[in-house]
Amino acid sequence: MTGRGLGRHHGDEENAGVRNDLGGTVHGPSVQVGTVHGDVRVLGAPPGGTGPPWQLPPVSRVTNRERELAALDRFRERAVRGEGPTAVTISGLGGVGKTALALHWLHGLRATVPDGQLFAGLGAQSPDGPVRPGTVLGMFLRALGVPAEGIPGATEERLGLYRSLTAERKLAVLLDDAVSAAQVRPLLPSGTCVAVVTSRWRLPGLSVDGCLALGLEPLGADAAVDLLASTLGDGRVVDEPAEARALVGLCAGLPLAVRVVGARLAARPERPLRAMVRALSAEHSRLDAMTIEDDHSVRAALDLSHRALPGPAARLYRLLGLHPGTDFGVNAARALSGGPPGEAAAGDVPAGDIPDLLDQLLDANLLLGTGEDRYRLHDLVRLHARGLLEAGHGVEDRERALRRLLDHYLASATAAESVLDPHHRSLPRTYGPGEPVTEDFHGDARAALDWLEREHRTLMAVIGLAREAGVPAAAWQLADAMWPLFTRRKHYESWRTAHREGLAAARDCRDRAAQCRMLTSGGLGELDTGGHARALEMFDEAARLFRESGDPLGHARTCNYRGLACLGLGRLDEAAELFRHAAEECPRHGDRRAGGLAHLNLADTAVRGGRSGLAVTEAARAHEVLVEEGDPYNAARADILLGRALPALGRTEEAEDHLRRAVATLREAKAGYETGRALEALGELAEHLGRTGTARRHYTEALEHYARLAVPAAEAVRVRLRRLGGPTPGP
């Protein structure tokens, strides 16, 4: 098995390393004072982001909700005066218009919330389960300007940082489709920020906490008739008032059902309302097979809309019931429907027709548009489509479509991985029959990373779905392909879950190389969150598997990983021994770069132990190898170590040359944290030589880099600046 880079440092996107100047990983800003036994941290708020987040979906039209809107306005006025709660829950049946009401009201508040509007779909009805609070907190912190490197791994730490950031801001937060009060509580902002929670449940736990509860009932007959009339846009409601009232009664007053029926009628302007009343009534005998909160009329309306679709659009609608995520793009629909041009089997839809078919589903209100070429199914609609698929399609047809969908996400994630980490040595990918539908990123790293971020939740759902579908190889391969997302965006919960699922899948496959990859990649995630002991267990297991498989290179690479875990645990001698073994064995078995990184780690260990001569020897060797292997970034890290070790040997001019070279290289690579480390080392050297002004200049610039990343190293530099006197930049 091949491995990734084996050196560890903060900000190394390939290696996701432990910071070299600390014994453990610390997330977010912190201050350590006095004599402290153990890890005692005080979290603070990072600097602001690039601008206020405006995340709310487009405003929705509401009908006859004046009473509820007035109640929300009164709630807002009391909250601003500090006389009432700052959070409100809107509960009601699926399809009753909870989200539409919340969006309509919150969009009207935009001028009063200058610090932005946050949105999260909490997935109470999602097939892959509700979203965890820690995941949403991570998304909110990024939206509020916290860089990926500054987002804590633990949910409790994320919560503290979120509350700190929202305490003095004027924000609105919409938490849509909540499953429980426990899911919502950590996501409520501090201060006088307004939060709106929608749910199909009343969530009495939040009412006990003081949140205002607003129950949303189905539309009354008059309001539902008005909605039907506006949907139709003609005179049929006026011509057939009794039939119009009967029709909205069959829709149970649910806006979703009224719109679907209205769209069906709008497509047939010659059809009288009474004909739709008869047809909808006749569908009642078919509703018991899929009862959703007794909304039988919704099922009837959806059945009618499905029957009215042209054959290819109806087939696409049913197949979309297989999709596990909350939203999807055109290529996912293309994969489900038949694959690339030339690969479609009998009955599949030609790939080029998919956009037109999606437009037909949009026109029928069976699909929602969520952005450019992005779509989602309402929860009830997805269940309806899935039920039709299971009832009307054979097992082979469903399995073939599902495998095409799995292959699409695996192939696309692998394509993104190749753009973002072109030198990353991936294990082979395996696909089903035919060429998978693959996103084309045109070599654009930003587009590749944006796709991985946008599809993050769906990709996680696909990992679980692949195992359930009996395709475990796709599960671990997809976890492996998501590596660039995990290292760059620090989705630690997903990182851990994906590799845990991937490891189980690799074991199902009895694939030792895959098991080792899941153990080492997952272990690096554990290191990033301070789980050094757990990481060491995982690396030890990988080492055992490599040894049993007769893979000496794989085993040698694990020595580097195991050494990093020992370094994090403070076991310097043990770490040094493991690094020495990796430095000898990796080049012997064909990986000189891994050997160079082992020398880098040895130099770091020597600096920590105060052995300057050994540090210089190891760092020089690491620099030589890494330059030869075309790795200027890690070669610059070796320059920093040389700059720190040489002054103790009286070689200050050489030290300065190495540090200036490191700054130039790392600036070009836009490696903020390592640039800060090099500048801080230059400041230390200048202070040692009595150049106070130069030292202040280097420290100040280093602090700018650290502050942008919200890392603990910033406070140590502030201490140095205060010691030198003069004004000190604030947090």
Side-chain angles (χ1 to χ4, degrees), residues 339-417:
E343 297 292 343
D348 288 342
V349 179
D353 295 344
I354 299 303
D356 291 339
L357 300 183
L358 291 170
D359 285 342
Q360 292 178 36
L361 296 180
L362 281 171
D363 292 341
N365 282 314
L366 291 171
L367 202 61
L368 301 174
T370 62
E372 186 177 358
D373 294 329
R374 300 290 297 178
Y375 307 89
R376 69 179 290 265
L377 292 172
H378 184 282
D379 295 332
L380 299 179
V381 174
R382 181 189 292 109
L383 291 173
H384 176 260
R386 186 176 300 169
L388 292 176
L389 181 71
E390 293 174 353
H393 291 243
V395 173
E396 182 178 350
D397 189 23
R398 299 198 304 268
E399 289 181 349
R400 187 160 57 89
L402 181 58
R403 183 58 196 261
R404 288 195 303 259
L405 184 68
L406 298 178
D407 286 353
H408 159 66
Y409 283 113
L410 175 58
S412 298
T414 299
E417 176 193 35

Side-chain angles (χ1 to χ4, degrees), residues 160-438:
L161 183 54
Y162 173 66
R163 288 174 175 168
S164 297
L165 289 174
T166 57
E168 301 298 329
R169 301 193 188 196
K170 293 183 178 180
L171 283 163
V173 179
L174 176 54
L175 304 170
D176 193 42
D177 197 23
V179 69
S180 68
Q183 183 191 29
V184 169
R185 284 191 188 100
L187 307 178
L188 297 177
S190 300
T192 59
C193 297
V194 172
V196 179
V197 182
T198 71
S199 178
R200 297 188 184 193
W201 293 274
R202 287 190 292 269
L203 303 183
L206 291 181
S207 298
V208 172
D209 292 344
C211 294
L212 177 68
L214 180 64
L216 196 60
E217 299 295 331
L219 294 174
D222 291 342
V225 169
D226 289 343
L227 178 59
L228 178 63
S230 64
T231 303
L232 290 176
D234 56 28
R236 278 178 285 180
V237 168
V238 175
D239 294 340
E240 301 179 77
E243 287 77 8
R245 294 182 75 85
L247 192 57
V248 299
L250 289 167
C251 292
L254 293 178
L256 169 65
V258 174
R259 291 193 191 99
V260 170
V261 170
R264 174 78 176 88
L265 285 165
R268 290 166 173 75
E270 75 290 346
R271 188 174 189 182
L273 298 188
R274 62 180 178 275
M276 178 63 79
V277 171
R278 288 195 300 270
L280 194 57
S281 299
E283 293 293 328
H284 280 179
S285 61
R286 299 176 55 197
L287 301 180
D288 290 341
M290 184 182 278
T291 299
I292 306 296
E293 298 174 344
D294 296 327
D295 294 341
H296 290 184
S297 297
V298 175
R299 172 64 193 273
L302 294 173
D303 279 342
L304 285 173
S305 294
H306 169 258
R307 284 168 47 186
L309 291 171
R315 176 176 171 78
L316 174 58
Y317 172 70
R318 297 190 297 271
L319 289 170
L320 287 172
L322 286 171
H323 195 279
T326 56
D327 63 347
F328 58 90
V330 174
N331 279 330
R334 183 171 287 127
L336 276 170
S337 299
E343 297 292 343
D348 288 342
V349 179
D353 295 344
I354 299 303
D356 291 339
L357 300 183
L358 291 170
D359 285 342
Q360 292 178 36
L361 296 180
L362 281 171
D363 292 341
N365 282 314
L366 291 171
L367 202 61
L368 301 174
T370 62
E372 186 177 358
D373 294 329
R374 300 290 297 178
Y375 307 89
R376 69 179 290 265
L377 292 172
H378 184 282
D379 295 332
L380 299 179
V381 174
R382 181 189 292 109
L383 291 173
H384 176 260
R386 186 176 300 169
L388 292 176
L389 181 71
E390 293 174 353
H393 291 243
V395 173
E396 182 178 350
D397 189 23
R398 299 198 304 268
E399 289 181 349
R400 187 160 57 89
L402 181 58
R403 183 58 196 261
R404 288 195 303 259
L405 184 68
L406 298 178
D407 286 353
H408 159 66
Y409 283 113
L410 175 58
S412 298
T414 299
E417 176 193 35
S418 298
V419 172
L420 291 163
D421 285 322
H423 302 299
H424 178 229
R425 295 178 290 272
S426 296
L427 295 175
R429 305 287 187 242
T430 54
Y431 303 101
E435 187 73 19
V437 177
T438 308

Side-chain angles (χ1 to χ4, degrees), residues 29-217:
S30 67
V31 181
Q32 182 165 310
V33 295
T35 300
V36 180
H37 300 283
D39 295 328
V40 178
R41 302 177 181 96
V42 181
L43 296 179
T50 58
W54 302 104
Q55 296 185 338
L56 293 186
V59 66
S60 299
R61 177 168 54 89
V62 298
T63 301
N64 197 32
R65 294 297 191 187
E66 289 79 12
R67 180 180 64 84
E68 291 85 0
L69 289 170
L72 289 169
D73 287 337
R74 290 193 298 272
F75 149 76
R76 170 63 175 162
E77 292 169 3
R78 291 195 300 269
V80 169
R81 295 195 302 266
E83 299 173 357
T86 58
V88 59
T89 61
I90 303 176
S91 59
L93 296 172
V96 78
K98 303 180 293 295
T99 304
L101 175 65
L103 288 172
H104 180 90
W105 183 67
L106 286 172
H107 273 286
L109 295 182
R110 176 159 179 166
T112 68
V113 286
D115 293 316
Q117 297 167 322
L118 298 174
F119 173 83
L122 301 186
Q125 303 301 314
S126 175
D128 50 314
V131 184
R132 293 181 178 180
T135 300
V136 178
L137 287 170
M139 294 188 296
F140 281 178
L141 290 174
R142 281 188 289 275
L144 293 173
V146 181
E149 296 84 353
I151 295 177
T155 297
E156 286 300 316
E157 293 183 12
R158 291 184 180 189
L159 174 57
L161 183 54
Y162 173 66
R163 288 174 175 168
S164 297
L165 289 174
T166 57
E168 301 298 329
R169 301 193 188 196
K170 293 183 178 180
L171 283 163
V173 179
L174 176 54
L175 304 170
D176 193 42
D177 197 23
V179 69
S180 68
Q183 183 191 29
V184 169
R185 284 191 188 100
L187 307 178
L188 297 177
S190 300
T192 59
C193 297
V194 172
V196 179
V197 182
T198 71
S199 178
R200 297 188 184 193
W201 293 274
R202 287 190 292 269
L203 303 183
L206 291 181
S207 298
V208 172
D209 292 344
C211 294
L212 177 68
L214 180 64
L216 196 60
E217 299 295 331

